[in-house]
Each structure stands twice: as structure tokens, then as C-alpha cells.
Amino acid sequence: MSIRRGRNMLLSPGPTNIPERVLRAMQRAAIELHSDELVGLARSCLDDLKPIFRITEGETFIYAANGHGAWESALSNSLSPGDRVLVFETGVFGEAWAGMGQSLGLVPEFIPGDWRHGIDPQAVEDRLRADKNHDFKAILMVQTDTASGITSDVAAVSEAIQSTGHPALFMVDAVASLAATDLRMDEWKIDVAVGASQKALMSPPGLAFVAASQRAMEHSDKATLPRHYWDWRRRLDPEAYMWFCGTAPEHLLFALREAIDMIQEEGLENIFRRHQRLADAVRAGINVWAEAGAMELNALVPREQSNSVSAILVDERYGAPNVRDYCEKHLNTSLGGGLGRLSGKAFRIGHMGDINEHIVLGALGSVELGLEMCGIPHGKGSVTAAIATLAASADRAEPPLAAD
Amino acid sequence: MSIRRGRNMLLSPGPTNIPERVLRAMQRAAIELHSDELVGLARSCLDDLKPIFRITEGETFIYAANGHGAWESALSNSLSPGDRVLVFETGVFGEAWAGMGQSLGLVPEFIPGDWRHGIDPQAVEDRLRADKNHDFKAILMVQTDTASGITSDVAAVSEAIQSTGHPALFMVDAVASLAATDLRMDEWKIDVAVGASQKALMSPPGLAFVAASQRAMEHSDKATLPRHYWDWRRRLDPEAYMWFCGTAPEHLLFALREAIDMIQEEGLENIFRRHQRLADAVRAGINVWAEAGAMELNALVPREQSNSVSAILVDERYGAPNVRDYCEKHLNTSLGGGLGRLSGKAFRIGHMGDINEHIVLGALGSVELGLEMCGIPHGKGSVTAAIATLAASADRAEPPLAAD
Amino acid sequence: MSIRRGRNMLLSPGPTNIPERVLRAMQRAAIELHSDELVGLARSCLDDLKPIFRITEGETFIYAANGHGAWESALSNSLSPGDRVLVFETGVFGEAWAGMGQSLGLVPEFIPGDWRHGIDPQAVEDRLRADKNHDFKAILMVQTDTASGITSDVAAVSEAIQSTGHPALFMVDAVASLAATDLRMDEWKIDVAVGASQKALMSPPGLAFVAASQRAMEHSDKATLPRHYWDWRRRLDPEAYMWFCGTAPEHLLFALREAIDMIQEEGLENIFRRHQRLADAVRAGINVWAEAGAMELNALVPREQSNSVSAILVDERYGAPNVRDYCEKHLNTSLGGGLGRLSGKAFRIGHMGDINEHIVLGALGSVELGLEMCGIPHGKGSVTAAIATLAASADRAEPPLAAD
Amino acid sequence: MSIRRGRNMLLSPGPTNIPERVLRAMQRAAIELHSDELVGLARSCLDDLKPIFRITEGETFIYAANGHGAWESALSNSLSPGDRVLVFETGVFGEAWAGMGQSLGLVPEFIPGDWRHGIDPQAVEDRLRADKNHDFKAILMVQTDTASGITSDVAAVSEAIQSTGHPALFMVDAVASLAATDLRMDEWKIDVAVGASQKALMSPPGLAFVAASQRAMEHSDKATLPRHYWDWRRRLDPEAYMWFCGTAPEHLLFALREAIDMIQEEGLENIFRRHQRLADAVRAGINVWAEAGAMELNALVPREQSNSVSAILVDERYGAPNVRDYCEKHLNTSLGGGLGRLSGKAFRIGHMGDINEHIVLGALGSVELGLEMCGIPHGKGSVTAAIATLAASADRAEPPLAAD
């Protein structure tokens, strides 16, 4: 393979660009497990995840695991064998979560989707109203499906659920959206939400997060799915060693602490605005490419287009994998490929976490060059369009800089 | 607190001293999950764990988890609800493992021990012979219990099991011994062994390892404990994404790869010899302290004294925690404390992983100073004794260096 | 100041983007000064600089210093008080070097330039032919002036010198060009060339390099400028401690070694081509901006436009510093400012060292956004133009990737 | 060579043990040379060196260079060709400094010493009184000679000079003592003092420091030795670029800043006390070895025994280099060798910078094992003796920890 020079531009939708500060925080010896420093660090991470999940009561848990581990924590702590759960498809992850439920002994009902639209709140309401006996013990949704680039409206789904008075637990997979798109556990009456370190949390993969409402904690007392490593109750022990059911993943916590510091410095509202603005720029660029008719953004409804990741459908005559391969091998630019039913039909650009204007502009430029090299018809000028979008939305708080 | 200068001397029995090379290996950006580099790295780690477990057939698994996660993997993949398992106590971890079995729906029979002796192979044989109906589906033992500093004789236990022809799966917790003390899965007919990254594997905590024999793999097809994240079968998928049931813990794998490289460079036999020799030196030092009658090595039988960690019992009049506190606060030396029934009665010196002569001598010197400062009666000259031990066992392969 | 997210895009023309590998190489303890490892490392760096300077005979020297230190080494080792030296201006550094000569007791004759053209070989020839008595002991030129973005034609100047038979030493400042633009000491009969670590050598600042021909080494025996730290002869001692006139700058050498490895892996010819191609793309973008009449590339003659750095003159009504400030504060993009007579009138984009397509495209996009935000009239579509340039010059060695 | 496991114990008297915090501070991208961050960082380092040199008026300078560079700065800025300077020998560095003076055009008068005693203040006074015409323009002394382990009494020499009213500039090489042994420029009327980063400043090698009194600064206006890179006046320019005569050695400054932070946190007085106490422990250990008659501490007068480094003379029948080789190759412990006239006759233990009790005890233990393995007669129990010394001098501020 040819030499690849310059930093790799990681446009994968997870893991993402890790800030230098976060990487540097891991560059240290291990410390004693019971030391004041480690206990304090772990406590602060657990506590500081709460405002990120926008939960005040309830509990947060950090696992040495990935997002799938967080799912298992969510399910196994709050449900019992044979429980029915309602799952909605907006991409690959709803189905995967349902599959896990099945492995664990639950009975998922899977509401299929076309991967190009978010969850329809009306469909949620209708299904729940039909469940007169309250057989569903939990409703599972994915806020942002990384495969499809669809962000469903959690608030609207929540409202639909509330309107029916259905008592099922409301669980949200926020792995790809946490700290990129607003999620309000308290306000939206979410019972369990799950996240992971390697997306908008800007940290290395290896940590998974679960936040559980008071109601979910109460359910866990009655839930009978067998569990130990994932067990919430055990992890609420006053002794820090139990918080991780054994040895804490120290270096990943060092990294997480630094990432949370950065999030606190910027502020969640600013972070959401930044993601919105940069994602708008990416979409402006994609729409330019789309003009030639050979590709288009997968998510059809503008307000459902994810601020974390964009999936671009490519006419199969032209081979979406080609552009991804070219970018990887020749441009040191790593894109996401098509997953599941989009396999071979799409490529994905991640734009969450530690990103800014030049990353987004470089990404579009790099991909446009890739499209050119692969002979895939595309409109030209994605970066020009993105610049216009960014200029229009730039913060004008500071006095104009132009000469007069 | 006073300023602590100089590197912290980490004599905790896990996490341990991480080599600079290993830490440095983590100092890099994340990479695309499906990249050839990551897939190759993960594959090589999985493969290269086999000779460390001394298993040829069978499978190895790497989890984003800690040792407790590895236990859960071992149990949930090979057993079914209501299965009886036989567990032996040599410290705190046998009981903990049994407790997990109970959480998961197994029925453990717990054979208590006095924490000062290893497992008695005869007791194993007797109990198994008494189990005429082969009710026990698994036998669980801890090779080295970190709390007691006891290393049981896995080969002898294996022989005892074999002698009875009992078909139960033989599972060994090698978390504190793997790559420090010999473990031969093939030869000793071990069905499942578990390890973790942060002990003699010299890596940051956050990875857990499981090795399963062909027989264990076959059992997993029939085992009905619910499982998903831990599921072996799912992790044997050809697609690398499944090897970790989702996103791989990349940075910990970067570290592990480097640590395995170092293990391969030194060679397991050399590593075992080094641990033996350095542990002998530590014990020589402890025995000097013991001369004053206020403390002694917890492990009573020399061949059961662990090469990974030494627990030192201190006369309760003198307060074992004092010396640990003093070393931590004043000497920047982190010891392990007494766990479980040894809480408040012992301190522990870890001596596994990336250690050498000067670490061991500095450790003894530092603790001896701590004993002195805490007014705990002790014989003096631990380092002198350790030097004599090391000199006697030094490799004489090179020509004598003395003057002519 | 507002939070700046994402990596800083360092488009300064030195220091430059340091590869992760190079940074990581510094992440280690110091080692014993006389250890085989350090001696071997230093020797290999000294030796491997030779092919980078394209010198076979002669000597290379590495200083704990910056480029100015290398100048002082060049002058003080080969000249004597009162010696006349001929210096050409193509930007700020010719004058600075002449100034240093004056400080050291030399008598520089300074041939002014307009900062928009390289050295005129005819002028060199004319001036040397007029120097019948061979009063000039050295001719000093800067290959690439970082302030003006001008690269003079070293081969042509060399030819001009050779044509006159003038015996003056020929010295070239290659700080901003070494390993970005070809420099052939042997072939072009260069007597002394100087470089530094923080430009195309991709390393942290703090090391300076000098390469001296055999003829220069011979001159050093007769040269009487006082010197010690810089003294070549002293640094040729067999003992490694003398190579650095005292303690070696170990960590910078660890970094340099890694950077040289990367240079060797890619190959100098490939590196030059990469710089040419990427610089062409940058210039294509700048020319788009120039269409609105408010700015232009400073270097007027295409073949003198540097492959390391581009200086862009901005109509003073619009304030070049504004765009630089905006990019720094709002876009986390660091540009170079105007130096010397270009102060306040230009900004500079560095494009040397560890750069690739996406960096160049992101840079243009980022600056174009800055121009927009500062209200500086500019043509739009710099990135589109750059993409066209890159596509036209891309390596077609691999089979076309387009679908069929 | 055999595998060396565990961290290298670096007992070289420079470079020394670099704290993790300091190394980590270098793990970041370069930043723009004129950025507020770099300018502020450089300014703070320059300013914060003043209290370390205990100078209030006057100026500090930081060079990309090593200690020899700092010497050249001291001489070339304050003296003129032909100036006579008085230099005292206490080891290898006085002579080296004199040699540099000669290279630069000064006329050194060298007062020889036996390497086992510090400078005799009476000899200074006598020589100066004899210099009726005040021919000497500067008096050069080394506070701690790294080769001999001798620390001369700077205050006493200063008093001797003051008593004569001789106007020569008083220059002190504090490279091996700065931040380990007290140096009071103001109080002791020192005109120029020099230091370096890689000794008790706990940083990587590559930075040299010079502090100059107001009187020295005034001399620099009249001094006519040619200089440019070293020139103090040029480095006082308001523009930060000039502070380093060109590009700043950014990463070494990142490291230095962190090291200065650590020095400020601990406090100079505490640092001096720590060095004294740990050096006393090392000497207690050496004296035990000396009992067998085959070795002894080189420095004969207790108050002249350096707190930075100890040189141990070994009976030539036994080969000092043997123990050093053995420790290096077999114990991963790096000692200093004999320099100059002690070459082959001594080994040295560095004990400055980021050291503490366990490093010192591990060092003695390691060397004692080396002596044993090399068959060099030595008293046994160096660590026991060192522990007694440390226990006797430990801070008793906290309540006794003994049980009651």
C-alpha cells in the first residue's frame, strides 16, 4: 500500500476524533485501586454524567464494556424472563437491540421501518393503545441510528407514550447522540438511557454508560433476569471497588474525566448548536453532490437528519464502497461504510464529537476528490456550499472584522 | 497532604506497573473499526493469547470488561440454570465467584478453606468421588488468590479430577497468575481459564480474557444460561465487529498488543523464572521482618506462596493499615491492603508483571522504612537478605565480572 | 475567548504538523548519556541526514539550537573576522543572516531584492565576475524564504558561481525547504547547508542541522572566528558526548529518528512530488480568491513559488491580519502572518511536512470561510479548484476505481 | 543482550528521572510561534526562573542548547577578547569551562585542585589580592562538579571575593546544583549563573538557562566578544520571537513549564531539604560498602559532599566499570561512570531531581547486588543504614502512626 501521510481524518461515526487532551490524560501509570484519587475520579465521572443525560434523580453507571454492554445492562436490570418489549426500527440498531432481548429471554415485538424515516409517534401511540393489558414492559428506541443517520424525535415519542398512560419503561439508546443531540431524561420521562465513550463523548472506546430513572431503579428490585456484572444494585455499594464490579478501567476513566471537563467548559447547549451548524454544512455539501442524480442523503425528512452522522445513498451502478476505499487508501480519510441493508449502497460521514469547521470542510473536500477519482457523477462545490452555510450561521457576537 | 515526589511505586497486586512501551502504544488516535489494521491487531491478540494460556485447540476471547466479566463469560457460556458447581476457597475470590454463580442461577457448593493453604487435591478427589451422579457440572478454582497470596497446585487438582473420571468442566481463574505462574490448559485439561489485562499482562485495566477448550465450546452449544454480550458463539463470527460484540476497545488493544510483544520477546519460561526469583527475594525480606514476631507471611506452605503477591499478616496490636498509609502518604509507595477476612490484619506486596531487581529491593527498603516509622517491631535487613537470594540465583551464564 | 473545538489546524510555516508517531517517540524516560542506545541513535541520525542533504562526503552536525544557531555554525566555522560575504535578499532571512554575519565580525554585502522574485543567477554571476580579487569568502543564499514564499533556484545560482570560477564558499539556508524541495549538495557544489527540525522534518523545534562539504571542513581548519559550542572539529571527536558539545537533546533526537524513518519510508522523490502537488492545489485555490482583485500570491514567477509556504498579499484596505485573527480565534486554524515588509499586508499558509490532501482542502476551505467572515472580497470555490488540480495530478498507478 | 524488564532506574547524574507529568506535557502538537499561548508560556518560564536562581533584578535567558551553550552565553556576553579569567578546578567542568574561554579568545588562569576538595576561599582571596591591577575580569566557579561529586561553598567564595573588593564578574556554573542545592544570586552577589533542564529541573535535556545580574547586563554593553545566537541584548527585545533568537523550542518549554510548576508546588526550601536527606541516606549506604576497604566516597569533606551526585572511588584492582556494566546490563540500573581523571576508577550515583525514598533505597540495593555479583569487596547492609538515616530525619510533623 502506498504511504499515507498526514493525520488520518477519522470520519467514522465512532470511534471519533479524540482530543489531544483526552489522549494525553491516559499517558500515566496505573494507580492503586482504592486510592482517594481513583475513588474521587470515579465518583466525579458518575456524578457528572447526570447533567449530560439531563437526569437529576436516578443513577448513572459506567461499565468497562461497549454500547452493547449498556443495552444488556438496561434490559437485564429492569425486566424479567418472558417480558414483552416493543422495539422500533429506524436502522440497524433497533433490530440488534431486539435480538439481544431475545437472547436474554425477552419477547420483542419489532415494528419495522424503512430506514429513511424516524419513528412515527402516532404509530407508537396506536400500538400502545392497542395493548390494553399492558403486556409491553418496555419500549425501546434508538435516538440516532448510526447506520441510517436517522434521528427520531424522542420528545414526540415520549409524548405519545404519556398520552396513552401506558406504564412500560421507556428506554432510549443514545449511544450515537449523547452530547451531540439533546436528550432530556427527566423532562421526557425516559427510564433508561444508554451511551458510550467513543462517540460524541470524544473518548477511546471501552466504556459504556447507563442512566436509570428512579422508576427504573425500583423496577430493578423486582426484575428477575439473571445478572451480576451488569447488576445496578451491586454497583450502588458504597465501596468504590463495587462500582465497576471489580477493577476499574482506570485509563479510560482518566480519558473520560478529561472529556467531561471539555464538555463542561463548552456547555451542552453550545455543543448541540455546534453539531447542528456543522451537520447543516455537511448536508449542504451532500446536497451539491446529489445534484448529479447519483446519490442522495438517506434520511428523507430534514428534521430527522442526524447531527452525528450522515448516510449517503449511492446509485448502485457507481459503487459506494469505491469512494470509501479510495478515501481510505489514497486520502488517509476514513469514512463509514453502509451497514445492514445499506451494505454496498451507502457510505457514511461521521460528524460528531470533537469537530469544527476545518474538519467538516476538509472532509467534504476530501470526499469530493474521492468521488471525482472514482468516476461517480456528482455536483461540484460541496465546500463552497458548506462555507455559505457556515458563514450564514456564524456567531456574530463579536464586532465585524471587515475593514472599513 | 504533603507533596509526593518521584514516581509512585505501585506495589498493588493489580493494576501493576505498566511498561512505558505499553503506555506509549495507547498514545494515538482511534482508527476506523473495520480497518485492516484494527482487524489484524485484534486477530493477532486473540491468537497470541493461546500460547499464553498454553492452549492449542479451543478458542480465546477478549472482552471490554474486567476479571469479573471474564468469570461471567465462563459461567454463562457453559452452564445452565440450576447447574451445581463446586468451588474451593483459598481467599476472597473463590467465594466471590461462587456468589456470581448464585446470581446467575447456578447452585454453588462452596468448600471453605483457611486462607493460609491452597486447595487440597485429596479433598477435591474425595468430593468428586462422592458425587456419584455427577451432579457437579463445573469445578471452579482460583490459581492465585490475590487476597491471600496463595497459589494452589492446578496440576495436582487436575490430576485429582482426572483420577475420578468426573465429567465436570474444570475452570480456573488465572487473573492474578496468568503470565506469572505456569498454567497449562491443554496438559492439565482445563476447560475454561480466565485472565485480565492489569496483572502480569502489564496493561491498563479494562480487558478480560477467556480461553475455552474444545470441550467447553461444545458445552456452550447446550448451555442455556441467557447471554448475549458474553456469548462465545456470537463472538466467533468471521466479522471482526462481532469479536467484541460491538465496538472494540481499541486503545486497550493497542496496549495489549505491545504487552504481548514484550512477553514473546522475553519468553514465558523466562518470565516464570523471573517471577519465581524475585518473589523468593521478597519472601526472604519478609522473613527477616518476621523475626521480631509481629508479622509473618500469610501463606504457610512454601510451594503455595504466590509468585504474584505476598500477603503479610501483622499482629493486630500494630495495625497493618498504618504501614500501608504511611507508605502511601509519605513514601509514594502503594501497597495492597488486607481484603475480606484479612481486612485490617494484613498488607500486601504485589510483585508481578513488569518488575525487576531494583523494584523489589526498593519495595522492601521502602516498606522496612514504613515499618520503622510506624513503630512496628521487625527484623532489620530485609534488603540485605533479598540481595543474598538474588545473588545466589543470578544467571551466571556470562563470564564472571570480577577483576582478575 | 470562545472555546475552540477540534484539533488546531496548524498552517504555520514552522513549526508544522508533527506526526503522531514522532510525538509518541518522545514519550519515554531519558536514557543514560553514554548508553549504546543513545550513541547509536545519535550516530544514525547524523548519518541519515546525509542523504537528506544529498551529500556523500563531508560531515553533518546536529545542534540543540534553532535555525539561527545553524547559521552561526555555518559562518563561525568557515570564516574569519573581516571576511566579506555576499548575501542575496528574497525575503526576511537573507537580511537576517547578513545581520548575524555583521554581529560576528564579517563584512556582508547585501544585494537587495523585491521579495517577489528569487535570486537572479545573472546578478550573482555579474557580481562575482566583478570581484576580481576574490574578496568574497562566502556566498549566502536562502533556498526558500519563509516570509516571502519565494524559492530561488539553487542549481542555477550554483551554475552561475561555477561559471565564474569564484572560490567563495557556497552556503544555502535550507531551513524551510529541506525535505520539501530538492537540495543537492554534492551535485550543486554547496559547501554548507543548514536546516532545522520543525519544518519539513516534521519534528518539534529545538534541533538545527548543518551539512558541510569536504571543502568547507578544510576551510574550518583555517577559519579564525572564535567558536566553541558550534565548533565542527570538536564535534567530530569519536566520543559521542562531544557530538553535541555536552549533553545530547535526547527527546528531540528520539523524535528526529522517527521522522527520519518516515522520510526513508516515503522516499525523498515521493516527498518532493507530494509537496509539489499539494502546493499546486493550494495555489489553485489562492488564484480563485485572487479573482476578486483584493489579494494575490506574493511570489510572481510560478517556478519560484515555494512548495513549503505561500504568502498571500492582501489589499491593505481589507486587513490581512483580520483573516488571520478570525481563523485563529474562530476556526482553530493557525496561519502565518506577514513578516518584515509584509507585516500587516499578507498572511501565509504553510504547506510543508506531514501534510496531505485533506489538510490542504480543509485549509483552503477554512481560510475561504475566514475571508467571507472578514468581508474581504474573494473569488469563491478555492476548494473546487484545488480538487481539480489534485484529481489531475493523482497517481493513476492503481486501476481505475470507477464502476463498470 | 538479555531482556531488561521493569523501568530503567536512571541514576545518571543528568539526564535524570523525568516526572510523568513533565513527559506528558510534551505530548501535544506544536503551536503557532506568535500565539498568545506560546508567548505567555515563554514569558512565564523566563520570569519563574528568577526565584529559582534567587535573583530579583537582572535577567534570565533560556536557550535551545545544553549547559555548554549556557557557558558560552555567560562568557561571550560579558567579556572581551583577551580578558583574563580566573578558574578553579574541583572536577572536570572547571577545566572545560576554561577551555571554552580559551577557544573564545579569553585568557584563563586555571587554579588546579585535587578533585577531592572544594574551592578554598582563602586561595581565592589570596589570588585576587595579588591581582593588584584587577586584570581578572571574571571569576569562574562550578558549584557542584558532576564528575567529582564536590560542592564548593559559593557563599564563602563570594565572601572571599567581596573581602578583596575585586571588581571581576563572579560567574557560577550551577548546572548540577540548581534546584537541588541553594544558590542565592542576589545575596551572594553572583553576576552570572548557568543551569540546564536535565538535572534537578527534571526536564528533558535541550534547554540551558542563564541568569545575569544588573551589573552583568551593564558589562554586556561593553563586552566585545562576537556573539549573536547567545546575545543577551537581542533576546530582550519585546517581540517573543527574539527571546529565543528564532523559533522557540516549544516542546521543551511545555516540559519546563510543568517542571517549574512542580518546583513551585513543593517549594525550594523543601526541595533542598529533600535532596539533603536523600543524599545523606545514599552516603550512609556508601559508607557501609566502604567498610571493606575497597571503595570510598570521592569527596573527602562532608560539607562538600554533593547532594546531587556521589562519586565512589573503587580500588583499581576491582574495576569500577564492572559494577556499572553489570548494573546496566543485568539490573536495568544506569549509573554514571568515572569521568576525566576518575575514568575507570569510579562510578557515580546521581540523586537529584525527582527522587524519593524508594528510589534511593532501590538504588543502593541494586548497586549492592551489583557489587556482590562483580566480586568487589564491600560491607553489606547499605539499605539498612540508609533506612536508619531516613527514619532519623523523617518529618515528624504528623502524629506518630504507631499503634497504641
Side-chain angles (χ1 to χ4, degrees), chain A residues 10 12 14-15 198-199 205 324 334, chain B residues 30-39 240-241 246-250:
Chain A
L10 184 62
S12 133
Q198 81 279 8
K199 305 269 185 171
R324 186 166 172 240
S334 297
Chain B
I31 58 178
E32 212 276 313
L33 269 189
H34 306 84
S35 61
D36 292 348
E37 182 182 359
L38 186 62
V39 173
Y241 182 76
T247 301
E250 300 189 349

Side-chain angles (χ1 to χ4, degrees), chain B residues 132-155:
Chain B
K132 306 267 188 233
N133 299 331
H134 292 174
D135 281 344
F136 290 125
K137 300 306 176 199
I139 299 153
L140 278 48
M141 76 171 281
V142 177
Q143 185 173 28
T144 293
D145 194 290
T146 321
S148 62
I150 302 285
T151 295
S152 292
D153 185 338
V154 181

Side-chain angles (χ1 to χ4, degrees), chain D residues 36-371:
Chain D
D36 292 347
E37 183 182 358
L38 186 62
V39 173
L41 175 81
R43 185 70 264 154
S44 78
C45 288
L46 287 162
D47 291 346
D48 292 349
L49 281 173
K50 287 192 180 177
I52 295 175
F53 278 107
R54 305 215 171 192
I55 190 172
T56 47
E57 303 299 307
E59 301 290 346
T60 43
F61 305 95
I62 301 176
Y63 293 90
N66 56 26
H68 288 67
W71 284 350
E72 190 156 331
S73 166
L75 299 177
S76 68
N77 276 287
S78 54
L79 297 167
S80 301
D83 278 356
R84 296 181 65 85
V85 299
L86 184 61
V87 193
F88 294 89
E89 177 182 41
T90 59
V92 84
F93 289 98
E95 188 172 9
W97 203 0
M100 173 182 278
Q102 205 149 22
S103 299
L104 297 179
L106 304 173
V107 183
E109 178 173 320
F110 186 63
I111 309 294
D114 69 356
W115 285 44
R116 304 199 67 180
H117 294 85
I119 299 172
D120 176 7
Q122 190 58 51
V124 177
E125 185 177 334
D126 293 350
R127 187 63 193 88
L128 290 182
R129 288 203 191 282
D131 179 32
K132 305 271 190 229
N133 297 333
H134 293 174
D135 279 346
F136 289 126
K137 299 306 178 200
I139 299 153
L140 277 47
M141 76 171 281
V142 176
Q143 185 174 24
T144 293
D145 195 291
T146 320
S148 62
I150 302 285
T151 295
S152 293
D153 185 339
V154 181
V157 171
S158 170
E159 215 170 300
I161 298 171
Q162 302 311 317
S163 77
T164 66
H166 196 290
L169 290 168
F170 182 31
M171 300 190 185
V172 178
D173 171 347
V175 168
S177 51
L178 191 68
T181 297
D182 202 0
L183 180 81
R184 307 185 177 200
M185 286 192 67
D186 281 353
E187 190 178 330
W188 299 341
K189 300 196 190 311
I190 299 168
D191 290 299
V192 188
V194 303
S197 52
Q198 81 279 8
K199 305 269 185 171
L201 271 286
M202 310 183 290
S203 298
L207 294 182
F209 315 125
V210 175
S213 70
Q214 277 302 100
R215 195 165 78 111
M217 292 309 301
E218 285 153 18
H219 275 245
S220 78
D221 289 333
K222 295 163 290 179
T224 60
L225 274 180
R227 62 195 182 273
H228 189 99
Y229 184 78
W230 310 113
D231 197 338
W232 295 344
R233 296 159 306 179
R234 184 177 305 277
R235 286 176 177 245
L236 293 176
D237 195 285
E239 201 202 331
Y241 182 76
M242 303 298 285
W243 303 348
F244 299 93
C245 190
T247 301
E250 299 188 350
H251 291 73
L252 299 181
L253 292 175
F254 298 149
L256 177 63
R257 180 64 260 167
E258 191 73 23
I260 291 178
D261 285 350
M262 292 177 74
I263 287 172
Q264 291 175 338
E265 289 164 16
E266 186 173 8
L268 272 184
E269 292 300 339
N270 292 328
I271 292 172
F272 297 151
R273 262 198 300 271
R274 176 166 56 83
H275 278 80
Q276 176 72 51
R277 185 169 167 262
L278 295 170
D280 283 342
V282 171
R283 289 186 284 260
I286 293 170
N287 289 337
V288 167
W289 299 333
E291 287 164 10
M295 69 190 72
E296 64 177 332
L297 197 55
N298 178 60
L300 289 173
V301 182
R303 67 182 159 71
E304 293 174 351
Q305 291 164 348
S306 163
N307 285 345
S308 294
V309 53
S310 295
I312 298 103
L313 290 176
V314 180
D315 186 323
E316 291 189 62
R317 280 178 300 167
Y318 299 111
N322 284 348
V323 66
R324 188 168 170 239
D325 283 358
Y326 188 87
C327 288
E328 182 74 34
K329 288 187 187 139
H330 295 272
L331 305 180
N332 210 358
T333 295
S334 297
L335 303 171
L339 292 187
R341 70 167 73 163
L342 296 186
S343 180
K345 301 180 182 165
F347 67 90
R348 291 176 300 147
I349 300 176
H351 37 78
M352 77 191 99
D354 190 40
I355 58 160
N356 61 14
E357 290 85 350
H358 69 65
I359 294 177
V360 155
L361 298 176
L364 290 172
S366 198
V367 174
E368 187 167 318
L369 174 56
L371 293 170

